[in-house]
Amino acid sequence: MVIRAVLVWLILAAAAVAQDARLMVLHDHGNPVVSEMVELTIRGEYDLTVSLENMEFPNSPDYDWIQIARDDWHKERVNGRLLQIFERKIALFPRRAGAVTVGPIDNRLTYVRGDGQRAETVVTAPPVTLAVKPFPAKAPPLSARKLTLTDDLSTDPGTLKKDEILTRRVTIEALGTLAHQLPARPDLSEPWLISFTQPERRETLLTPAGPVARVVWEWQLRPKTGEPAILHAAAFPWFDTDSRQIEVAPLKPIPFGFAGFGSNFGAQQVAWHSWPAAVLALGLGMTVALAAMLRGTGLLPAAAIRRRWRRLWPGPHARALRRAAATGDLPALRAAADRHLRWRGQPPPALLADLDRQLYAADPPAGFGARRWLAAFRRTLRQG
């Protein structure tokens, strides 16, 4: 009888603790894309005198995460009862599209009973599932609320002196992401250029506005010859989580030149083997172009001719566009439109933002028609 009474008392005590302690995972983002920060609040409501707690956020290959604020303990009245509230802020970054599940999460509590003795209990938050959309670009996923790129040069690259070194420092800062999600350092190697690359610096800083990722790249650059040349440009696509659109952070091209134009002090020739040959070729090209323009024909680069020819017929993506619009498959429609634009060599039209908004907005507008959008898309391309 004594043992049975003790068991009944333990069951009742456990039930009382369960009723007096609740843990949940809260978030307000229903439509994230891969790599986009989702802020989670792990909230505990305890009608207990908690003296110790221990909670470990679960790791997963499906996401990255970081705690972005200190744990907050405070008193709050819930349904007329003054409870002890526990809140932990987590920034979560999905690594893949599809259903991403977080949890369950256990919080192990040590609390003080009414008789002054200490006891332990485990409170569990049920799992939550995020419906993650694919990253809307053919590029490494990078999402941020704000991104800035600064490209600093130590001197004017167009008027370098002999043996003078140009220092280039590129800094990228992004709000709402992690340092390892920022792009990889570009390769600036060229046959005509000597490049010394400094170790990159990456870090994630916690700020009141959220995590800020930063990367700094630095190069010392010196051309091998005295002839003009251009260091190629680069671009980093990223998803603006406020506008719900893809933006591009450009790395500008750098035209190199030297004071005292024409003094070739290097061993290698890059653009021309001799300046007289360069002047002769330039003059010949201008003469031919001028003659063609006077005839009313003009000369177009091969790429421009190819783009104009491709605008005369529907192209290899017409069937995929029609099928996606007919079935209402918006991700497939967006992918087919992106492939078609790259094939035609045209910049994305403004109405592409309507499709992106329907796909990635947290609250997409009603009344969107995939077939109607495709018809407008085709009209825009014909007019362009």
Side-chain angles (χ1 to χ4, degrees):
M1 292 296 294
V2 174
I3 295 176
R4 182 178 299 175
V6 171
L7 290 176
V8 171
W9 180 85
L10 289 175
I11 293 172
L12 292 176
V17 169
Q19 293 175 356
D20 293 341
R22 183 171 66 145
L23 189 68
M24 66 203 85
V25 180
L26 307 175
H27 72 92
D28 59 357
H29 202 317
N31 210 15
V33 304
V34 173
S35 81
E36 180 177 359
M37 186 183 91
V38 178
E39 184 173 326
L40 305 178
T41 300
I42 305 172
R43 177 181 168 93
E45 299 177 352
Y46 304 139
D47 192 10
L48 302 169
T49 303
V50 178
S51 58
L52 292 173
E53 68 85 24
N54 181 34
M55 182 180 68
E56 293 184 2
F57 192 81
N59 294 319
S60 171
D62 292 339
Y63 55 77
D64 296 304
W65 67 273
I66 185 174
Q67 184 171 344
I68 55 177
R70 292 183 177 180
D71 293 345
D72 179 26
W73 287 91
H74 61 275
K75 294 286 188 178
E76 187 176 317
R77 194 167 295 278
V78 179
N79 295 329
R81 303 169 65 193
L82 188 62
L83 303 181
Q84 193 169 6
I85 304 298
F86 164 79
E87 289 185 341
R88 177 173 294 181
K89 300 289 186 181
I90 298 291
L92 184 136
F93 305 86
R95 293 178 181 170
R96 64 166 181 84
V100 173
T101 300
V102 183
I105 302 174
D106 294 332
N107 196 4
R108 189 174 301 276
L109 304 177
T110 300
Y111 65 98
V112 181
R113 297 194 316 225
D115 60 2
Q117 298 298 314
R118 294 179 182 270
E120 292 187 356
T121 187
V122 176
V123 186
T124 300
V128 297
T129 300
L130 305 174
V132 181
K133 300 289 186 179
F135 189 74
K138 298 294 185 181
L142 172 60
S143 302
R145 288 171 51 192
K146 180 181 179 182
L147 186 144
T148 58
L149 184 151
T150 58
D151 193 353
D152 296 325
L153 305 176
S154 61
T155 188
D156 181 3
T159 58
L160 292 176
K161 300 179 179 62
K162 183 178 179 180
D163 295 329
E164 185 176 7
I165 294 176
L166 174 72
T167 298
R168 183 183 199 180
R169 181 180 294 108
V170 174
T171 303
I172 300 178
E173 289 188 347
L175 172 61
T177 188
L178 301 176
H180 73 269
Q181 294 177 317
L182 294 177
R185 178 173 53 201
D187 182 12
L188 300 189
S189 60
E190 294 286 355
W192 49 267
L193 185 68
I194 300 174
S195 175
F196 299 95
T197 304
Q198 300 296 332
E200 72 171 14
R201 301 191 297 275
R202 287 180 183 259
E203 57 182 343
T204 300
L205 307 174
L206 294 181
T207 72
V212 174
R214 177 189 296 157
V215 64
V216 180
W217 302 318
E218 187 172 309
W219 300 267
Q220 276 75 47
L221 307 173
R222 184 171 71 85
K224 296 178 182 179
T225 74
E227 297 171 349
I230 296 179
L231 187 61
H232 60 273
F236 308 108
W238 63 284
F239 182 69
D240 188 327
T241 59
D242 287 340
S243 68
R244 314 302 293 173
Q245 294 184 10
I246 288 289
E247 305 289 347
V248 175
L251 198 61
K252 61 190 177 185
I254 299 180
F256 280 88
F258 291 88
F261 183 80
S263 58
N264 186 343
F265 51 80
Q268 300 183 25
Q269 301 288 329
V270 180
W272 307 97
H273 290 287
S274 65
W275 284 111
V279 173
L280 179 61
L282 179 61
L284 180 62
M286 293 178 64
T287 302
V288 173
L290 179 60
M293 285 187 291
L294 289 175
R295 292 197 306 269
T297 59
L299 289 178
L300 287 175
I305 296 174
R306 186 167 58 253
R307 285 195 299 270
R308 291 195 176 187
W309 173 75
R310 286 182 173 180
R311 293 180 186 183
L312 299 178
W313 67 297
H317 311 103
R319 180 178 297 178
L321 287 166
R322 288 196 305 270
R323 186 186 306 116
T327 59
D329 189 346
L330 299 189
L333 181 62
R334 180 62 171 84
D338 184 61
R339 292 195 302 271
H340 189 62
L341 287 170
R342 290 201 305 271
W343 178 81
R344 289 173 67 103
Q346 285 184 253
L351 63 82
L352 201 63
D354 297 337
L355 180 57
D356 288 341
R357 193 174 301 110
Q358 194 70 24
L359 269 169
Y360 304 110
D363 185 19
F368 181 85
R371 292 181 177 178
R372 186 169 61 252
W373 181 91
L374 179 57
F377 177 73
R378 286 171 169 165
R379 283 196 304 271
T380 302
L381 296 188
R382 286 195 298 269
Q383 294 168 3

